Amino acid sequence: MSDSLRDQLLGLGFKSAPAPERKSKPKPNPNARPGRHGGRKPEAGAPQRQDKRGGQRAGRTREDIDLAKAYAIRAQKEKDERIEAERRRQEEARQRREARAKLAQLLQGKALNAEDADIARHFEYGGKIKRIYVTAAQLKALNAGELGVVQLNGRYLLVAASVLDEAEAVFAPAVALRVDPGAPAGDDPYADPKYQVPDDLVW
């Protein structure tokens, strides 16, 4: 490098390369006995270094790699399963919302609940005892299977059997009460007249 170019580089802030340090040679140990290659012989019982490409060290490395791969595969599988489960939950929730909206549209103007109904008809729905108030004629028709009960937005609607069939096709979980007149009495114990209690009696 010419002096003019060096001066220009130094002027731009570059520093001259430091001179390489000279390493001093290690002093030979006068007590050491030369071996085959002129070095010290390994002491008895001292661990010998294994080659990186063979021996137990390489075996442990491959085992560690295989184990890490197995953990990574399992973690990825669990992640995929969680994502798929969440996707199914969201899809089911979307289908339920759409079904309920369709059911609400279906039931518009088709509920037969009477304002003067004073007979409590009890039935089991969702693991709990529910009730709907009906007239004497409606109670007879309900127990004969000519009417049914549909749950919509927390309300129990009395509907004709044909409407109940349509509601079941749209959203089966909404069907709260369907009486089969040919079924044994034990299948619907609340159809028994003893369960038709007055309004002022707390159930």
Side-chain angles (χ1 to χ4, degrees):
M1 183 181 291
S2 64
D3 292 338
S4 61
L5 179 57
R6 178 180 298 174
D7 294 339
Q8 291 178 10
L9 294 176
L10 290 175
L12 292 174
F14 289 93
K15 296 181 180 180
S16 59
E21 297 180 0
R22 298 182 60 185
K23 297 182 179 179
S24 60
K25 293 183 179 180
K27 295 182 179 179
N29 188 351
N31 298 325
R33 297 178 61 186
R36 179 180 301 177
H37 301 290
R40 296 182 60 186
K41 292 184 179 180
E43 298 179 2
Q48 297 187 7
R49 185 174 298 175
Q50 295 282 349
D51 183 68
K52 292 184 178 180
R53 293 174 295 178
Q56 295 182 355
R57 177 179 295 181
R60 289 196 299 270
T61 302
R62 285 195 296 270
E63 182 180 353
D64 292 343
I65 293 174
D66 292 342
L67 188 60
K69 287 182 178 179
Y71 277 123
I73 292 172
R74 187 177 70 176
Q76 183 62 39
K77 183 179 179 181
E78 292 176 352
K79 180 181 178 181
D80 293 342
E81 289 175 352
R82 288 194 299 270
I83 293 174
E84 177 61 19
E86 179 62 24
R87 187 196 66 79
R88 286 197 301 266
R89 282 194 293 269
Q90 292 180 359
E91 178 63 18
E92 291 171 359
R94 182 189 65 79
Q95 292 178 356
R96 285 195 298 270
R97 288 193 299 269
E98 292 179 356
R100 288 194 181 102
K102 189 175 180 180
L103 180 65
Q105 186 177 6
L106 170 68
L107 296 176
Q108 282 184 353
K110 297 180 181 179
L112 304 177
N113 301 61
E115 293 184 0
D116 59 343
D118 57 354
I119 301 175
R121 172 60 161 91
H122 293 88
F123 56 93
E124 184 177 356
Y125 178 68
K128 297 181 179 180
I129 305 303
K130 305 296 182 178
R131 64 183 174 184
I132 186 172
Y133 288 98
V134 296
T135 64
Q138 288 174 337
L139 177 62
K140 184 178 179 180
L142 184 59
N143 290 337
E146 298 171 2
L147 299 176
V149 179
V150 178
Q151 191 267 0
L152 179 64
N153 298 328
R155 294 186 58 206
Y156 295 97
L157 307 178
L158 190 68
V159 296
S162 59
V163 177
L164 191 68
D165 293 337
E166 295 181 60
E168 185 174 22
V170 172
F171 189 52
V175 176
L177 177 61
R178 177 195 292 273
V179 178
D180 181 3
D187 290 354
D188 183 18
Y190 300 103
D192 193 304
K194 70 180 180 180
Y195 290 105
Q196 317 313 321
V197 296
D199 289 346
D200 56 353
L201 181 62
V202 177
W203 185 261

